[in-house]
Amino acid sequence: MTYAYQKVWTSCYSYAKSKLWITRSLRRSMLKKFGAYLTMGYAKKMKVYFARHGRTNYNDLDLCNSDPSVDVHITPEGVKQAEMLARKLKETPLDRLFVSQLRRTQQTAEIVNQFHHAAVEIEPLLNDHRSGYEGKPANLLVEAMDAA
């Protein structure tokens, strides 16, 4: 079987470039896990697009979050960012949207999906890594990662 993957790391906003703390190895690991998951039932070529959620209340507070039970949601600015992404992807055929269990990802997908009405699947494999910094300032996580 041949599978075509087009890695498109799209951010809903430019802030993500300075605040996205995903290391290259973590990105590769995530893509490998996610790619393996996607290929389980698909025998066709596909393009895979990745997008980050819109701005959240925790982004505004500069706090870490990886626990789906914590109320982290996209802000009005995050809604605008998701709407902008939805408009950009309006003519792009999307068959399925995969999101983590985190509410912010589901909210963003709901907005992006307004033009597609594709199936949205909640996939725990896409959840953020539990770093132990839940609710703590993001700079502490960055310092710990730099020290590692």
Side-chain angles (χ1 to χ4, degrees):
M1 286 185 210
T2 304
Y3 298 96
Y5 294 101
Q6 181 180 0
K7 293 184 279 182
V8 181
W9 291 88
T10 307
S11 171
C12 289
Y13 52 100
S14 60
Y15 177 81
K17 286 188 178 178
S18 63
K19 296 294 182 182
L20 188 59
W21 302 297
I22 298 177
T23 64
R24 283 186 183 168
S25 62
L26 181 58
R27 265 187 252 165
R28 280 192 299 267
S29 167
M30 188 174 90
L31 185 62
K32 185 183 280 187
K33 281 183 184 177
F34 188 59
Y37 175 79
L38 282 177
T39 59
M40 282 193 213
Y42 297 89
K44 63 178 184 176
K45 291 185 179 185
M46 69 179 88
K47 290 184 180 180
V48 178
Y49 300 91
F50 290 86
R52 191 169 192 264
H53 57 78
R55 188 169 183 83
T56 68
N57 55 324
Y58 264 42
N59 291 137
D60 289 345
L61 299 171
D62 204 28
L63 298 176
C64 295
N65 168 252
S66 59
D67 184 351
S69 69
V70 176
D71 180 26
V72 177
H73 53 272
I74 60 176
T75 61
E77 182 182 346
V79 171
K80 288 179 189 174
Q81 293 162 347
E83 288 171 345
M84 181 174 58
L85 180 61
R87 285 190 301 275
K88 284 186 177 189
L89 294 174
K90 185 176 182 177
E91 301 302 321
T92 303
L94 299 177
D95 298 324
R96 191 169 307 240
L97 300 172
F98 292 91
V99 297
S100 72
Q101 294 173 318
L102 297 163
R103 183 174 170 214
R104 62 187 180 241
T105 65
Q106 295 167 33
Q107 290 174 308
T108 302
E110 203 173 281
I111 294 167
V112 169
N113 202 20
Q114 66 185 324
F115 299 116
H116 302 284
H117 310 291
V120 177
E121 292 190 30
I122 298 171
E123 176 49 60
L125 285 173
L126 295 175
N127 285 352
D128 289 353
H129 173 72
R130 297 279 178 110
S131 64
Y133 286 84
E134 180 65 42
K136 295 180 182 176
N139 66 322
L140 294 178
L141 175 61
V142 172
E143 289 171 8
M145 289 176 67
D146 288 344

